[in-house]
């Protein structure tokens, strides 16, 4: 998988379309969660894009400290459902962690994880902080990674 990191302004119209399409496909349709995905935060995020053979297969967006949480953060972690068997989730997350460290010069990262993915994020060095909560009707937990 080829990884690129781009600001919102550097995204092509086709890239933005593919990002919004995969996020809608997974977060709205697959997870049956009606929520406002286009939240006004994409413009201040860096976009971590994973492609294979020119097709979007994995994606996250990352934020510097203070833009989403007090800490730097990773969000909208998504892998194309037909590509999940290849380990792209871990690959895009490792690339996102590296991008946070490189672009923002910090080593503390927070994310809002769907509860069923706690073990996945734990294998990447994230630990739960605080109690669980519902976000858009889905159980979530806050997790933090400290290098």
């Amino acid at each position: 998988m080829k990884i690129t990191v781009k600001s919102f302004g550097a995204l092509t119209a086709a890239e933005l379309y593919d990002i919004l399409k995969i996020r809608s496909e997974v977060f709205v349709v697959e997870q049956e969660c009606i929520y406002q995905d286009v939240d006004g935060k994409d413009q201040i995020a860096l976009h971590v894009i994973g492609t294979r053979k020119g097709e979007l297969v994995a994606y996250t967006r990352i934020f510097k400290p203070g833009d989403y949480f007090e800490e730097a953060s990773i969000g909208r972690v998504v892998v194309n459902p037909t590509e999940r068997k290849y380990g792209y989730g871990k690959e895009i997350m490792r690339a996102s962690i590296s991008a946070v460290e490189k672009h923002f010069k910090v080593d503390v990262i927070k994310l809002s994880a769907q509860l069923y993915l706690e073990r996945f994020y734990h294998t990447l060095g994230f630990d739960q902080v605080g109690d669980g909560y519902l976000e858009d009707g889905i159980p979530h937990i806050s997790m933090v990674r400290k290098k």
Side-chain angles (χ1 to χ4, degrees):
M1 178 171 64
K2 178 184 175 190
I3 304 283
T4 56
V5 179
K6 292 187 171 189
S7 67
F8 183 80
L11 294 172
T12 67
E15 287 171 326
L16 181 58
Y17 178 86
D18 288 345
I19 289 166
L20 295 175
K21 181 177 182 273
I22 194 173
R23 287 178 6 189
S24 177
E25 178 182 347
V26 172
F27 300 132
V28 178
V29 177
E30 178 184 319
Q31 296 181 354
E32 298 178 350
C33 182
I34 299 171
Y35 81 110
Q36 184 61 46
D37 176 52
V38 180
D39 61 358
K41 296 277 190 184
D42 289 314
Q43 295 88 330
I44 60 172
L46 288 179
H47 302 269
V48 183
I49 304 162
T51 57
R52 188 175 129 229
K53 297 180 182 176
E55 298 293 322
L56 179 67
V57 295
Y59 166 84
T60 71
R61 64 182 187 179
I62 62 174
F63 296 94
K64 72 180 187 301
D67 277 354
Y68 201 90
F69 294 120
E70 183 178 315
E71 305 85 353
S73 61
I74 300 171
R76 297 294 200 268
V77 180
V78 64
V79 175
N80 183 319
T82 64
E83 304 292 323
R84 290 183 181 150
K85 59 188 169 210
Y86 301 111
Y88 295 146
K90 280 196 176 176
E91 196 172 338
I92 196 76
M93 277 301 298
R94 286 186 187 114
S96 299
I97 292 164
S98 294
V100 166
E101 293 170 349
K102 176 184 174 185
H103 292 277
F104 307 140
K105 310 291 189 234
V106 297
D107 57 10
V108 177
I109 304 168
K110 184 174 184 177
L111 53 82
S112 178
Q114 291 185 10
L115 182 59
Y116 83 95
L117 291 168
E118 185 273 338
R119 185 174 174 159
F120 168 78
Y121 289 116
H122 186 72
T123 65
L124 293 160
F126 289 86
D127 293 308
Q128 180 176 349
V129 292
D131 296 326
Y133 54 93
L134 285 179
E135 186 174 312
D136 300 312
I138 298 173
H140 280 70
I141 54 174
S142 291
M143 300 189 79
V144 172
R145 181 183 190 276
K146 298 177 182 177
K147 194 170 184 179

